[in-house]
Amino acid sequence: MSTLLWGALPYIAFALLVAGLVWRHRYDKFGWTTRSSQVYESRLLNIASPAFHYGILFVLAGHLVGLFVPESWTRSLGVSEHTYHLFSLYGGTAAGVLTVLGIVLLIYRRRTNSPVFRATTVNDKLMYVVLLGAIVLGMIAKLAHTSGDGYNYRETIAPWARSLFTLRPRTELMEGVPVLYQVHAVIGMALIALVPYTRLVHMFSAPVQYLFRPYVVYRSRDPRQLGPRPPRRGWERTDA
């Protein structure tokens, strides 16, 4: 079971992610979208959507730092384990709360707005369950181990995650990990596998280039080049 969960499942999830992206881009380009329902309701969406997107960005950033920045690197920068634990605890909890709040509002909007609910598919419902489960379990796992410096996942989970890229997964590191962290990791891998088959696929087509686009300069035409402009119909001058 240890080999299956921590040695095979990560690569299965990654394979499903890549295969799904290739298939979706080749055969379902018109479905590569968020399937926005803003046309049905926008007031609540304008609150829930930014809360979810900003929250999930902070959650992802925290996971990337926690898993792929070794403990020795932060220690060399003068950041003690206690300081890192506090920052991870409060920052991660705040990001998680913001994300959950956004998801709950999005689900409430879908359930209470008839046109939006009719546009909700079984695929959407599965995506919400897995996404919400991954985030909530991560928060529960973090809050359940707050005594002292908490559980130091950077000595077990983080080295295991980095070992996956060497194709030599250190499965033994995950055997003594608390159950809540293990369940969180499994649901996280399931979420990665589901991404290309749900509306979450739009994260791979985020308009990042928009931030670096050149300025668009609008210039009015020189009136001397236009010549005399005829008056608009209905606005002709009258001498009376």
Side-chain angles (χ1 to χ4, degrees), residues 21-83:
L21 290 174
V22 172
W23 172 82
R24 196 81 183 264
H25 185 267
R26 185 170 182 179
Y27 298 106
D28 190 31
K29 288 184 179 180
F30 290 105
W32 191 300
T33 173
T34 60
R35 300 205 326 271
S36 175
S37 57
Q38 187 174 5
V39 67
Y40 301 125
E41 194 278 337
S42 60
R43 183 181 61 84
L44 189 57
L45 182 65
N46 290 335
I47 300 174
S49 182
F52 167 72
H53 283 90
Y54 282 117
I56 200 67
L57 284 176
F58 285 120
V59 168
L60 289 175
H63 278 71
L64 290 175
V65 172
L67 294 177
F68 301 109
V69 176
E71 185 176 358
S72 59
W73 291 16
T74 55
R75 190 182 298 113
S76 66
L77 294 175
V79 180
S80 65
E81 179 58 29
H82 181 67
T83 302

Side-chain angles (χ1 to χ4, degrees), residues 1-238:
M1 182 61 68
S2 178
T3 302
L4 174 63
L5 291 178
W6 318 122
L9 187 59
Y11 298 109
I12 294 173
F14 182 74
L16 289 172
L17 172 68
V18 174
L21 290 174
V22 172
W23 172 82
R24 196 81 183 264
H25 185 267
R26 185 170 182 179
Y27 298 106
D28 190 31
K29 288 184 179 180
F30 290 105
W32 191 300
T33 173
T34 60
R35 300 205 326 271
S36 175
S37 57
Q38 187 174 5
V39 67
Y40 301 125
E41 194 278 337
S42 60
R43 183 181 61 84
L44 189 57
L45 182 65
N46 290 335
I47 300 174
S49 182
F52 167 72
H53 283 90
Y54 282 117
I56 200 67
L57 284 176
F58 285 120
V59 168
L60 289 175
H63 278 71
L64 290 175
V65 172
L67 294 177
F68 301 109
V69 176
E71 185 176 358
S72 59
W73 291 16
T74 55
R75 190 182 298 113
S76 66
L77 294 175
V79 180
S80 65
E81 179 58 29
H82 181 67
T83 302
Y84 178 87
H85 169 68
L86 293 178
F87 183 80
S88 174
L89 176 62
Y90 294 114
T93 301
V97 169
L98 183 62
T99 308
V100 170
L101 176 63
I103 295 177
V104 170
L105 288 176
L106 289 172
I107 295 175
Y108 172 81
R109 171 179 174 270
R110 286 193 171 274
R111 191 64 188 85
T112 58
N113 189 286
S114 297
V116 179
F117 183 70
R118 286 195 296 269
T120 304
T121 65
V122 176
N123 185 297
D124 294 329
K125 296 175 183 179
L126 176 63
M127 179 268 295
Y128 277 121
V129 169
V130 178
L131 181 59
L132 189 60
I135 296 172
V136 171
L137 274 173
M139 294 175 61
I140 293 175
K142 173 67 72 173
L143 295 175
H145 299 83
T146 56
S147 60
D149 286 337
Y151 176 70
N152 189 2
Y153 58 87
R154 295 201 295 170
E155 293 182 348
T156 54
I157 303 176
W160 163 78
R162 293 195 295 270
S163 71
L164 296 175
F165 293 91
T166 66
L167 302 182
R168 293 182 178 179
R170 301 173 62 187
T171 58
E172 72 279 359
L173 293 174
M174 294 295 292
E175 294 178 359
V177 171
V179 175
L180 287 175
Y181 280 95
Q182 291 181 339
V183 176
H184 173 61
V186 171
I187 296 180
M189 288 185 282
L191 181 62
I192 291 173
L194 280 175
V195 164
Y197 309 99
T198 65
R199 66 174 61 210
L200 292 176
V201 71
H202 76 278
M203 72 173 65
F204 290 99
S205 56
V208 179
Q209 69 275 10
Y210 181 84
L211 300 174
F212 308 101
R213 76 194 192 287
Y215 289 108
V216 179
V217 180
Y218 294 93
R219 294 186 178 92
S220 59
R221 294 184 178 181
D222 190 341
R224 292 173 297 180
Q225 298 177 356
L226 296 176
R229 177 179 299 178
R232 293 169 55 190
R233 185 177 181 183
W235 293 87
E236 297 90 346
R237 293 176 59 85
T238 60

